[in-house]
Amino acid sequence: MDKVLLDVFVEHHNRGDQGQNGWKPHVYTAAIKAIRDKCGLHVTKEKICSRMKTFEKHYSTISKILS
């Protein structure tokens, strides 16, 4: 699920679909659809937001270790 979610966000980031206060609404819809199609899971926007917060924590920790 994480790989699918990250792939969707990378794709939309490269298109410029990230707004000033976060992702545009259609990005969440695309993420939900991709996870449903590829993983067979039913997730909500809240679940995706929660997972993104976890990614940010991991990124912060890894950045500190590498620097």
Side-chain angles (χ1 to χ4, degrees), residues 6-63:
L6 289 172
D7 288 344
V8 169
F9 282 125
V10 167
E11 176 185 339
H12 285 278
H13 173 75
N14 291 339
R15 290 184 191 170
D17 288 338
Q18 191 170 12
Q20 187 175 16
N21 295 324
W23 296 102
K24 295 181 180 178
H26 69 275
V27 176
Y28 291 108
T29 305
I32 291 168
K33 183 179 182 316
I35 291 170
R36 185 181 62 232
D37 293 345
K38 295 180 182 177
C39 302
L41 300 172
H42 297 283
V43 296
T44 62
K45 178 182 175 184
E46 290 76 25
K47 174 73 173 175
I48 291 172
C49 291
S50 174
R51 196 69 196 137
M52 290 303 296
K53 288 179 185 178
T54 303
F55 290 155
E56 290 171 5
K57 289 178 187 176
H58 290 292
Y59 177 80
S60 174
T61 303
I62 291 170
S63 294

